[in-house]
Amino acid sequence: MLSAADSFTPIPRLPQELVDHIIDHLYDDFTTLNSCSLVCHAWRPTSLLHIFSKLSLKVISTVSPSELCRRLYRLLSSSPSVCSYIRELDVLEGSQLGTQVAPHVVLTGSQSVIWVTTDRTLPHIFRKLTHLKRLDFGAQSATIQWSKMQPPARSAVRQMLSLSTLTYVRLAFWNFASFWDLSSLISCCKNLQDLALSNITFGQQPGYPVDLPGTPPVLSDLQEEVVLASEPCQCRLYFLTVEHVSSAPFGDWLLGPESSLDLTSLRELRVALFNDIDFVKRLVARAGSLERFHFKMGASDPHPFDLSTNYNLRSIKLTLEDAAVALSWVMALLGSISTTNALESVYLEFYTPLKDMTDGWEGLDALFSREEFNGLKQVEIGLFALSTSPEYIRVTESLAGLSSRGVVRFYRLGLKNQRSNQQLTPRTSRSEPS
């Protein structure tokens, strides 16, 4: 007669790799992830990774920013293992702050001050994030002034940037005393692959709402900065965004021998309203591996470009806002394409009154009929007009030759107040290289 022990059939265990893969599909279902983290020890790491992978410090609140940062610091200090799960950090300076550990876990509070440069706990939080892969540090309704940060905060930022795990950095609405401050900050990075600079200014900014008193430098912070600066490392960059950067000398540094960035493997370049067109031309020429190019040139006069040496160029996107030079810019850039290019996609955004662009569309249609564009698989043309307006219809009829190939899509651009005058449209690829 069998005993109870002999009749017991153990429950089969799934391989851990399969369990992790199943939990991965719950990445945005935080209620279920919380439940999974309590099932057993084997389920806990993957569940917590998705719960805490992105940390956001930004606007929303009913508690002071200092209190919110203290709560977060206590959490990271009491549960150190959480630090290793945080892979993305999003810091947003502004009139308010909210701490959002995950979309479903929000510590809310309210305070109407500039807080990044004044909070004493924030640098300690930065130092605990040792596994970051992505850093997005920006502002809204304010400008982050590097010179206003206290030495411990600057040192903590440098330490974050020096993490070998960090591959993506975006800085938006920052002010530096000189472009050397920015270049020395970027030089801290050891494995940077994707860099985005947006609305960066240089020099003293008058009227800054918080005038911090001068504080003597902390010796340990200065020593640490010297150590970081003494370990130069050139990072191979794959993705670069430069929009509204107001210093031509920064462009010279970026392309010069002192730069910490290797641009020869650049695959995607996005440039908007940079005040030195010659820099853009040199940058494109340097990027021999360039596959995707998005250019927003503003009101500058057309310059001759040579894209024929960018043999891997597969996609080009142009955002145009000046009716007087819009088509001339398109002809100058697309006219430099040769049969050696591998161009597959062209995207044109005309944020211009079509009534001011009566000539030139037939020339663009003729350009697309050239042998160099035989490999096109997709052309998208956005027009700032109603699709039923005579101007819109006239443009589509003028490009009849292109339309007959079955690769073009015309569409209406958004309202004028939705124009991308502060930021480029989203990137055309993921920021992680394959």
Side-chain angles (χ1 to χ4, degrees):
M1 185 174 182
L2 294 176
S3 64
D6 294 331
S7 62
F8 175 75
T9 302
I11 300 175
R13 295 176 62 89
L14 292 175
Q16 186 61 40
E17 295 83 356
L18 184 56
V19 172
D20 293 340
H21 186 65
I22 294 172
I23 295 176
D24 287 341
H25 284 276
L26 304 171
Y27 66 94
D28 59 350
D29 186 347
F30 295 98
T31 301
T32 305
L33 285 170
N34 280 329
S35 300
C36 290
S37 69
L38 301 175
V39 171
C40 62
H41 288 293
W43 289 27
R44 190 169 178 80
T46 304
S47 300
L48 293 181
L49 175 62
H50 290 296
I51 292 173
F52 293 103
S53 62
K54 183 173 182 178
L55 173 67
S56 297
L57 302 175
K58 58 184 178 182
V59 180
I60 42 179
S61 19
T62 50
V63 181
S64 71
S66 296
E67 175 60 24
L68 289 169
C69 287
R70 283 194 292 269
R71 291 184 188 180
L72 176 59
Y73 181 70
R74 285 196 295 268
L75 169 65
L76 299 180
S77 299
S78 60
S79 303
S81 61
V82 171
C83 299
S84 64
Y85 296 123
I86 299 174
R87 306 300 171 85
E88 300 182 31
L89 175 63
D90 185 356
V91 181
L92 185 64
E93 174 71 289
S95 60
Q96 295 179 327
L97 166 71
T99 302
Q100 183 173 313
V101 176
H104 71 302
V105 181
V106 180
L107 306 175
T108 57
S110 149
Q111 194 75 11
S112 179
V113 294
I114 299 297
W115 63 274
V116 167
T117 54
T118 60
D119 190 85
R120 296 179 180 273
T121 310
L122 196 58
H124 299 290
I125 294 173
F126 288 165
R127 292 183 184 279
K128 286 186 173 293
L129 306 181
T130 56
H131 290 69
L132 277 184
K133 291 185 176 181
R134 299 173 61 89
L135 173 63
D136 192 328
F137 205 149
Q140 66 173 23
S141 68
T143 299
I144 301 173
Q145 289 208 9
W146 177 249
S147 62
K148 294 292 185 179
M149 283 190 178
Q150 298 299 301
R154 291 200 298 266
S155 178
V157 172
R158 290 180 182 274
Q159 180 175 310
M160 268 199 309
L161 292 177
S162 68
L163 293 173
S164 60
T165 56
L166 191 67
T167 58
Y168 170 86
V169 172
R170 177 177 180 268
L171 302 178
F173 294 94
W174 280 65
N175 171 261
F176 297 89
S178 73
F179 78 92
W180 290 111
D181 291 334
L182 173 59
S183 62
S184 64
L185 198 60
I186 295 173
S187 297
C188 294
C189 299
K190 295 180 178 178
N191 193 32
L192 187 63
Q193 299 177 18
D194 187 340
L195 174 65
L197 302 174
S198 175
N199 292 275
I200 305 296
T201 57
F202 300 88
Q204 184 63 35
Q205 294 285 298
Y208 192 71
V210 178
D211 190 13
L212 298 178
T215 302
V218 178
L219 183 59
S220 61
D221 294 324
L222 292 179
Q223 289 174 336
E224 184 174 13
E225 291 191 13
V226 170
V227 171
L228 290 172
S230 65
E231 299 177 356
C233 178
Q234 193 169 50
C235 300
R236 179 170 292 182
L237 212 62
Y238 295 97
F239 304 87
L240 175 63
T241 299
V242 181
E243 49 182 328
H244 301 263
V245 176
S246 66
S247 173
F250 174 73
D252 293 333
W253 170 84
L254 190 63
L255 295 171
E258 297 181 350
S259 174
S260 62
L261 302 175
D262 179 0
L263 304 176
T264 57
S265 299
L266 201 64
R267 291 165 49 184
E268 179 165 325
L269 174 63
R270 306 166 72 244
V271 182
L273 303 181
F274 195 84
N275 54 11
D276 185 352
I277 299 297
D278 288 334
F279 156 75
V280 181
K281 294 167 62 177
R282 289 187 293 139
L283 183 56
V284 170
R286 176 74 61 86
S289 300
L290 192 65
E291 297 177 5
R292 292 171 290 272
F293 179 37
H294 183 181
F295 188 28
K296 178 180 177 181
M297 63 290 299
S300 59
D301 292 331
H303 285 58
F305 268 72
D306 183 10
L307 300 176
S308 61
T309 57
N310 298 103
Y311 305 118
N312 298 313
L313 188 64
R314 295 190 291 110
S315 172
I316 183 169
K317 183 172 185 176
L318 305 177
T319 301
L320 308 118
E321 296 182 330
D322 187 350
V325 296
L327 283 174
S328 298
W329 263 115
V330 174
M331 298 296 288
L333 283 160
L334 295 185
S336 67
I337 296 293
S338 72
T339 53
T340 58
N341 296 111
L343 195 65
E344 298 177 352
S345 305
V346 174
Y347 306 91
L348 304 176
E349 295 178 329
F350 290 96
Y351 283 99
T352 57
L354 294 184
K355 60 181 178 60
D356 297 333
M357 299 175 61
T358 57
D359 300 318
W361 297 105
E362 291 80 5
L364 179 59
D365 192 50
L367 178 65
F368 277 119
S369 67
R370 285 168 32 179
E371 179 185 2
E372 295 90 315
F373 299 95
N374 286 346
L376 281 179
K377 298 178 181 179
Q378 183 178 20
V379 178
E380 296 197 1
I381 300 178
L383 302 173
F384 186 58
L386 291 173
S387 58
T388 55
S389 67
E391 295 86 359
Y392 188 104
I393 296 172
R394 175 176 53 81
V395 171
T396 60
E397 291 176 346
S398 299
L399 297 173
L402 178 62
S403 299
S404 66
R405 295 171 56 181
V407 297
V408 66
R409 179 179 77 92
F410 296 96
Y411 65 96
R412 176 194 174 190
L413 289 170
L415 299 176
K416 190 171 184 179
N417 60 6
Q418 296 173 338
R419 182 183 301 180
S420 55
N421 57 353
Q422 290 299 318
Q423 292 183 328
L424 287 169
T425 50
R427 59 167 35 92
T428 57
S429 69
R430 293 183 57 82
S431 62
E432 296 83 4
S434 56

